[in-house]
Amino acid sequence: MTGFLRRHKVSLTLAAVVALTVYALIIIVDANDDVRAEARARFFEQYSRQQYLVAQLTANSLDELFATLHRNLDLVASLFEGQRVDPRRARAVRASLGKIYVSLSGTPVIDLVVFDANGTAAAIEPHDSFTLGRSYAWRDYYRWMRDRREPGRMYVSPLMRMEGGRLRGAKELIVAEGIYGVGGEFRGVVACTVDFDQLARKHILSVRMGKHGHAWLMDNTTRTILVDPNGRIAGMGFDEALRNKWDRLYRLLMRAGDGRPGSGWYDFHDPDDPSRQVRKLVSYHPVRLDNRLWTVGVATPEREVEALLTSFLQRQEFISTALLTTILGVAAFLLALLFNWNRTLSTQVALHTRALSDTHARLKSTFDELLVAKKVAATGHLALGLAHEIRNPLSAIRMNMQMIRKRIEPSGVMFENFSIVEGEIKRLNRLLNDVLDFARPRPLRLRNVPVAELAGRLMQLMSQRLTDRGITVTTDLDPELRLVCDPEQIHQVLLNLVLNAMEAMEGSERKQLEIRARAKGEHALIEVCDTGAGIAPGKCEQLFDPFYTTKAVGGLGLSILQTIVMNHGGGVSVHSEPGAGAAFTITLPRSGPPGNGECIEDHPYC
């Protein structure tokens, strides 16, 4: 009877296992299709995201190109600042115009042209007798600049064909900017001709994804195809090329006219067989110019994406088959799982134990660092006391030395000895002042000042010394950049860096000092670069240690500099290679140090 019951229980267990297996098979088969559909959707979503990133990078490259053109047009316009635009002035600035043109050699710019107030070409680089002296007052860009009178505004023309010159018949764009007087009176136009074929080859046609994944470019302002979705340079309008046959692409481009990025799909010519159509996945991103909106798209035939997905689906089928086989040994699997859980728990306990030990070690290290900091603070107070105690007798020594010198009026070797003693006393005084500044920095007195004003005042102060040493200075300062800081202390920081750069360039054949200032998010970056001998590898981090120096005598200059910058809530870094000079970068919050300092001028952050 007991054996019968035991066999009955075993049969029930086997039946339950078989029933569970069949049920699991049904669930897995049903779920397999759902998994495939979800995998396909996720894969297509990820692929569209990659296309979007490529479109964004392509749009950024076009933005950078036109920003470069805009900056150079500004330079050309500045050549005529305060002057009439005429052939005489054009001859005077021809050399500078040539240099600006040479600087654009890496861009698709064909030529630079300057037109006078009547639309006549007064200067062109390179020289083109066909264009020089002709009137272009009928051109859209000339009328646009003359009638709108918006200084600093850039005009980008629609796609057109060149009607003359060296590249007659080639596709071109005109990028122009107006030249205006101080009172806003119109004086002329500076324009550059852009070879659109070269622009498209470099920035659009070079973008590929897979075999038939192309980038395309549309002008949403004029509704013109610049580079079509199969990678060919076009020039047709949306209505003519798309509306009747490719309605979905037409509607997608009209939707992109609002200047927002996006993704989607459309039907278009099959790249392998133009007589057929194929669905393409597309992601697009806007390119915002001053007077024009372009859209960059990256599209790939859906079948290529499906091919990439096939290998993943095959692996998924293999996993499903393996799972079905595993279910047949579910009992053994459960036992193994329990064993694995026990081992995993033991491993986790060991990991947490090690983590606690590491945390304890870090706490101990932090405590030791706090003790060291406390000792350093005590040493600082001791240094203050010693500095005061030394300064008074040192002053007495100096006064008595001066009295003795006046009384005996030494000469020869005795005169040199007195000079050496006085020089050493002055050096000790400077060192004591540095110790006092380092150990007891004065409170910040904050003001909202332009960075260009700080740098300009410094250059005015140092101009004669820099000229005497044969040092050439170039500046690149954002005139709109303002900084909440203590101007005197930041002036001291910049002065220290300039003096260090001057000393570093002694003996150098090329003496070039460069000061740059720009905004980066909520911070201001100020860079001081020289062409000196540079700093040895591994020594940059030691530069800010007290009394460390690469010169004969050390001091606290860079240590005080770092303290001032840190009190402003910023940081200082240095990059250098031996023989290639050094670049010091000061990073400061534009809104001032958080919660520190005394505001002596109203500004939004006080």
Side-chain angles (χ1 to χ4, degrees), residues 178-194:
I179 303 174
Y180 303 95
V182 177
E185 64 275 10
F186 176 71
R187 291 188 173 179
V189 175
V190 55
C192 63
T193 307
V194 177

Side-chain angles (χ1 to χ4, degrees), residues 40-59:
R40 183 179 185 278
R42 293 292 177 85
F43 191 85
F44 274 44
E45 179 182 344
Q46 183 63 29
Y47 194 88
S48 294
R49 176 61 180 168
Q50 293 178 5
Q51 287 194 141
Y52 173 79
L53 293 176
V54 173
Q56 186 179 37
L57 290 173
T58 305

Side-chain angles (χ1 to χ4, degrees), residues 259-524:
R260 289 183 293 182
S263 298
W265 64 270
Y266 61 84
D267 294 318
F268 203 68
H269 291 295
D270 190 333
D272 288 333
D273 184 0
S275 64
R276 297 187 305 168
Q277 67 179 20
V278 63
R279 175 176 290 187
K280 290 188 174 184
L281 298 180
V282 63
S283 295
Y284 53 89
H285 196 277
V287 180
R288 300 180 186 277
L289 308 176
D290 273 9
N291 68 316
R292 198 162 300 282
L293 175 65
W294 288 356
T295 299
V296 172
V298 178
T300 306
E302 193 174 280
R303 63 167 179 265
E304 288 193 19
V305 186
E306 292 278 9
L308 294 174
L309 182 62
T310 300
S311 60
F312 170 78
L313 294 178
Q314 288 175 346
R315 289 195 299 270
Q316 190 265 336
E317 292 287 350
F318 173 79
I319 293 172
S320 298
T321 303
L323 180 60
L324 292 176
T325 304
T326 304
I327 291 176
L328 298 177
V330 62
F333 172 75
L334 289 175
L335 291 175
L337 184 61
L338 289 172
F339 177 77
N340 186 60
W341 280 350
N342 181 62
R343 186 172 57 184
T344 301
L345 288 174
S346 300
T347 302
Q348 292 295 325
V349 170
L351 288 174
H352 285 299
T353 301
R354 285 197 296 271
L356 288 173
S357 298
D358 293 341
T359 302
H360 179 267
R362 286 196 296 271
L363 287 173
K364 187 176 183 301
S365 176
T366 303
F367 180 73
D368 292 340
E369 290 176 359
L370 288 174
L371 289 177
V372 171
K374 187 175 181 180
K375 292 178 181 178
V376 169
T379 304
H381 288 296
L382 178 61
L384 285 173
L386 287 174
H388 284 295
E389 292 298 326
I390 294 173
R391 172 178 279 182
N392 292 331
L394 195 62
S395 299
I397 292 171
R398 184 180 181 184
M399 292 175 59
N400 281 278
M401 286 294 298
Q402 290 175 346
M403 292 174 60
I404 294 171
R405 187 175 184 179
K406 289 180 179 179
R407 181 168 298 177
I408 67 175
E409 297 182 353
S411 61
V413 176
M414 183 68 69
F415 179 83
E416 293 179 2
N417 291 336
F418 269 96
S419 298
I420 291 171
V421 171
E422 286 194 358
E424 291 301 307
I425 291 174
K426 291 179 180 179
R427 190 174 70 83
L428 285 174
N429 263 322
R430 286 196 299 270
L431 180 59
L432 290 174
N433 288 333
D434 285 348
V435 169
L436 291 173
D437 290 340
F438 182 71
R440 188 183 58 195
R442 67 179 179 84
L444 302 179
R445 295 176 61 79
L446 301 179
R447 290 179 57 200
N448 192 334
V449 295
V451 176
E453 179 182 307
L454 286 174
R457 185 157 59 92
L458 175 63
M459 288 298 99
Q460 185 178 6
L461 174 67
M462 300 294 296
S463 60
Q464 188 59 47
R465 294 179 64 181
L466 291 167
T467 301
D468 292 343
R469 298 196 182 193
I471 298 175
T472 304
V473 181
T474 59
T475 58
D476 183 7
L477 308 171
D478 184 353
E480 302 298 325
L481 180 61
R482 300 184 70 88
L483 181 65
V484 177
C485 66
D486 186 324
E488 297 304 321
Q489 293 197 29
I490 297 302
H491 176 85
Q492 180 183 349
V493 168
L494 296 178
L495 176 62
N496 197 317
L497 292 179
V498 170
L499 292 175
N500 280 356
M502 291 169 61
E503 293 181 3
M505 289 188 285
E506 289 183 359
S508 298
E509 294 182 2
R510 177 171 170 265
K511 298 182 179 182
Q512 178 77 38
L513 176 65
E514 185 173 0
I515 302 177
R516 298 189 292 264
R518 58 187 175 88
K520 184 178 182 182
E522 297 300 319
H523 289 79

Side-chain angles (χ1 to χ4, degrees), residues 6 27 32 40 80 89 101 117 132 139 212 236 248 274 297 305 339 347 394 413 417 520 529 531 542 597 604:
R6 187 176 298 163
I27 292 177
N32 189 52
R40 183 179 185 278
F80 295 87
R89 181 59 183 171
Y101 176 75
L132 200 62
R139 283 291 186 93
H212 292 118
M236 301 174 66
R248 187 175 183 88
V305 186
F339 177 77
T347 302
L394 195 62
V413 176
N417 291 336
K520 184 178 182 182
C529 309
T531 55
Q542 302 178 38

